Each structure stands twice: as C-alpha cells, then as structure tokens.
Amino acid sequence: MVTGRKQFSLVKESDLQLMATTQYNTFLSENKVLSSSNSKDAAAVDRVGARIANSITKYYNSHGKGLVLEGYKWEFNTIASKDVNAWCMPGGKVVVYSGLLPVTQNETALAIVMGHEIAHSIAKHGNERMSQAMVQQMGGLALEVALAQKPKETQELFLLSYGIGSQVGAMLPWSRQQETEADKFGLIYAAMAGYNPLEAIPFWQRMSSVSGANPPEFLSTHPSDETRIRNLKQFMPEALKYYTPHN
Ligand SMILES: [Zn+2]
C-alpha cells in the first residue's frame, strides 16, 4: 500500500504488533530508559517522534489511507547506550540509542533517521524479513505455532527482523531495495513533520564515517555512500513538496 510493490507476507501484521508489545516492554525493562524531564536527548526524541507521528497520521487519514497505520500505538523511548542505533517495531514502537545523538547533532537529522526507521515499519519491511526467516529457518510454521514450539528462536528471529540483534554476525541480510524505500519515505515523513529534508545529505555523510563490529541496520547493508547520496538527491524534489517549516 505504501511501497507500491508486491510483498511476501506469511505472518499477519496484527500478530507482529502483538508480539512487538511484549518484546518492546521486555527490551525497555532490560535497558536504562532516559526520561525526557532530565535528558535533553530523550526530550528531543519525544518531540521529533510526536511531530512525525502526528503529521503522518493526519496525512494518511486525510488521504483515505488510514489503514496504513492500523493498530499503531506510538511509543518513543531513548535508552542510555554508546551504540549508534535506532529502530521501530511493528505498531510504532520506537527506540533511539543515546549514542546516535552525537552523530545526528540536530533535531532535523534526528527526524531524518527516525523517519527512516518509521518508514521501514510502515512499509512492513520487518514483516517481509520475518516471513522469509519463518520459511527458511522454521519450515514455514505459523507464527503462533512457532511461538509455542520454539519460543526462544522465534523471539530471536523477530528481533533480528527489526534490527535489534545483539550478536555479532547474527544479523539477517538487509535488502538494498528496502533500504532505498526507507530512505525515500523517511525523507517524506521528516518533511511532512516540518523538518528540512535537505539535512539528510550532510547527515548520511556524517553517518558514513561511523563504523563498528555490529552495525545498525541502516549501515549493515554497506550501501555505497555515493549510491545512497545520489538516491537521496534524486528523491529530494518530491520530498521538498511535503516540506513546510514548523515554527
Ligand atoms: Zn534502514
């Protein structure tokens, strides 16, 4: 509905949203969550998240596409971590790692990367990855059966499908097509929320100098930086149509 291409889906998005609620709360209980009342990073994440969520909800509803966000119950949290990372589970459950903030440097760049993660979620990219993994590693079992028979493995596949793996080398390969779609729709979502999409160019250039043993999903496909920047420049005129600066 968003990507305009046929997508492979073995699992129901509503089942994944249900699973996300549990997995999100477990993740938060195992990490140090920063409060927006005494962390300016968490306050920025909350502010940017609320703006993006509000503007895309308004947009899809007013264009008769409210179903795109069916079941969404947005949550935004920031955890204390040196890792440069962020992700969005099904249903709008977002986590930003505080290690990302020194790279974003400003709220517009934060909106670019949060828009990117939210775009993966809305385009159901995690569902595609989870569906493929269920076929390849679980013999095509239904999600509820897999959860009953192999709960630990199934939960691990879920986390890996959404870029939340913690083991080096355990990541599922990311599709370049998904990455390009997330870049494109992420730009539009940031622009709709009043953030200048042009900031994406210097931001992804800053990001390209970040490296680590266990890269976040947005670096793990090792996209050629030039290809990414070239694609962003190509999307820019469309994204700018959605951009009105907020006050
Ligand atoms: Zn990505």
Side-chain angles (χ1 to χ4, degrees), residues 116-117 120 179 182 217-218:
H116 175 99
E117 292 309 318
H120 273 307
E179 204 54 13
E217 65 81 11
F218 42 77

